[in-house]
Amino acid sequence: MVELLKFEFYRLYKSKLSWIILGVMALLPVLAVVALSLIVLYVSRGQDFEIEAEQSRFLTWLFISYFYKWVPMVLALFIPLFVGRDYRDGFIRNKLTAGHTRMQIFGAAVISKATYAAALCIAYITTGLIASFISPFGADINGGEMLVRAFSLMLSVIATSVLFTVLALIIKNRAVPVILSVLFVMSFGVASTLATTFAYDHAMINDYERIRDKKIDKMGYDPDEMELDKDKFFNFGWYIGHPIFVMTNAGMQDEFITGTTSIMILNAESLQYSDEIPRHPFNSLVTTLVTQEMNFLDEKDLKKVDGAYVSVGTVELQYNIKSVLWTAVYFGAGYALFRKKNVF
């Protein structure tokens, strides 16, 4: 196994493409920092530029977290093509002939590609932090908490790299794993929207109804005449989106990655690095339009709903557990197929 790992890492080390990709990943956050710095300097036009701690944290996270969008797509192209050479060049057949077991071959391929995926993430984060530190915005990792949050994203990327490696090992045709991997990454946005839109469950809606009725009663209305139609919350979309939310890490993109639409409005209100994640029925425009309920409860009321806002630490733990479990599922199912595959 050790010799196989040495061989796999040596192949990555000798691959010019792997180094080019690593360099590009390290360069992307630097370009983002430079671009935003130039824009801010142009807009300020020589005036003193001041930034608050909350804004600095927001922008630091913006600069380092986007590896979660870039790295999976790069891996979707690189891993299947790189591993696919093993069939084309006869490496797998030669390894078996040399006496290595299928588990050793499978494990070495998965471990090496997962390590490479982690290296891309670390390179992106490192250069992003360095660029932020020397930029006008400064770098604030919130006492190290931001690195823990980034680690949760990295675990998810590693799980994804295992899936791509497994697809490449069980499918000889090099094009098919590439197509499947790219489609998987392209589905992130839709899956994330479904997961975050339908994150709520029956208990949360029941608690919401209780608080809503109290609010309506205080407003002088009769709660019985304004009964909540809970069926609107549990429609066809919920039965698709909620299982995705519960079982997968699909929601990470919307819950963890900062949007870029407000970065030009440099004030504390628009640039928030929150320590809570909203998981209530109204954290998306789609659900709001369907239910027409936002007139009754404001954010202060929604905070009383059990589960409507969850701490980042709790969310991180949930996602970390699912990343580890899905990595195990990909590995176990992949090896079960690989050990029976005809590689000759």
Side-chain angles (χ1 to χ4, degrees):
M1 180 70 166
V2 174
E3 293 302 318
L4 285 175
L5 282 173
K6 288 181 180 179
F7 175 73
E8 293 293 338
F9 284 122
Y10 179 76
R11 287 181 63 208
L12 285 170
Y13 176 77
K14 294 296 290 184
S15 170
K16 293 181 180 179
L17 182 58
S18 68
W19 284 104
I20 292 173
I21 292 173
L22 184 65
V24 170
M25 289 300 104
L27 184 61
L28 284 177
V30 177
L31 294 177
V33 173
V34 171
L36 188 57
S37 298
L38 292 175
I39 292 172
V40 169
L41 289 174
Y42 175 76
V43 172
S44 62
R45 294 181 182 178
Q47 298 178 1
D48 291 337
F49 175 75
E50 295 181 1
I51 188 166
E52 299 177 9
E54 182 69 19
Q55 296 168 291
S56 181
R57 281 193 292 270
F58 176 94
L59 292 171
T60 301
W61 181 242
L62 173 71
F63 294 137
I64 72 171
S65 64
Y66 264 73
F67 73 85
Y68 189 71
K69 289 191 174 183
W70 288 108
V71 174
M73 181 56 75
V74 171
L75 294 175
L77 297 170
F78 175 74
I79 290 179
L81 293 175
F82 189 86
V83 176
R85 290 180 55 192
D86 288 0
Y87 285 114
R88 189 195 67 182
D89 298 341
F91 286 154
I92 294 179
R93 182 177 63 250
N94 294 339
K95 292 172 186 176
L96 287 172
T97 304
H100 298 290
T101 66
R102 292 198 178 213
M103 173 56 86
Q104 291 173 335
I105 296 170
F106 186 85
V110 170
I111 292 172
S112 60
K113 306 313 174 292
T115 303
Y116 181 67
L120 295 182
C121 298
I122 293 171
Y124 195 106
I125 294 169
T126 301
T127 56
L129 286 176
I130 294 173
S132 297
F133 180 77
I134 63 179
S135 74
F137 314 115
D140 186 344
I141 59 174
N142 200 29
E145 180 276 334
M146 191 176 295
L147 299 181
V148 177
R149 198 179 297 197
F151 177 75
S152 295
L153 291 175
M154 189 172 72
L155 273 184
S156 182
V157 172
I158 290 173
T160 303
S161 73
V162 173
L163 172 63
F164 297 160
T165 307
V166 166
L167 290 174
L169 285 170
I170 64 177
I171 302 174
K172 282 187 177 183
N173 188 311
R174 296 176 73 186
V176 175
V178 172
I179 294 172
L180 293 176
S181 299
V182 170
L183 289 176
F184 182 81
V185 175
M186 291 177 65
S187 71
F188 278 11
V190 174
S192 185
T193 299
L194 284 171
T196 52
T197 299
F198 300 104
Y200 56 86
D201 55 21
H202 286 82
M204 190 184 299
I205 296 302
N206 290 335
D207 197 32
Y208 164 74
E209 181 181 35
R210 176 182 59 81
I211 295 172
R212 170 188 178 275
D213 288 346
K214 286 184 178 180
K215 183 71 176 285
I216 290 175
D217 186 52
K218 288 182 179 180
M219 294 169 64
Y221 298 104
D222 184 355
D224 293 334
E225 294 181 359
M226 305 182 71
E227 185 178 356
L228 179 68
D229 184 4
K230 291 191 284 189
D231 289 340
K232 288 183 178 180
F233 294 91
F234 304 104
N235 52 25
F236 179 75
W238 185 86
Y239 285 101
I240 296 176
H242 193 66
I244 294 176
F245 164 74
V246 172
M247 297 175 63
T248 74
N249 279 352
M252 289 190 86
Q253 181 166 302
D254 283 356
E255 290 191 334
F256 271 17
I257 306 301
T258 297
T260 59
T261 55
S262 62
I263 60 175
M264 293 308 299
I265 310 173
L266 297 179
N267 58 68
E269 282 190 10
S270 65
L271 306 184
Q272 293 287 331
Y273 180 74
S274 178
D275 59 356
E276 288 184 318
I277 302 294
R279 284 183 169 175
H280 53 74
F282 312 113
N283 64 333
S284 76
L285 178 62
V286 176
T287 312
T288 302
L289 293 175
V290 170
T291 60
Q292 296 296 311
E293 287 289 325
M294 276 301 285
N295 293 330
F296 296 118
L297 300 189
D298 54 26
E299 185 175 2
K300 184 178 179 181
D301 297 317
L302 287 171
K303 283 184 176 291
K304 299 176 184 178
V305 178
D306 186 29
Y309 286 86
V310 187
S311 70
V312 168
T314 299
V315 175
E316 287 171 347
L317 179 60
Q318 293 170 347
Y319 280 136
N320 291 348
I321 291 173
K322 285 189 279 190
S323 292
V324 172
L325 289 177
W326 276 109
T327 300
V329 169
Y330 294 147
F331 187 94
Y335 176 67
L337 295 172
F338 180 72
R339 67 193 296 261
K340 296 181 179 180
K341 183 175 181 60
N342 180 14
V343 298
F344 292 96

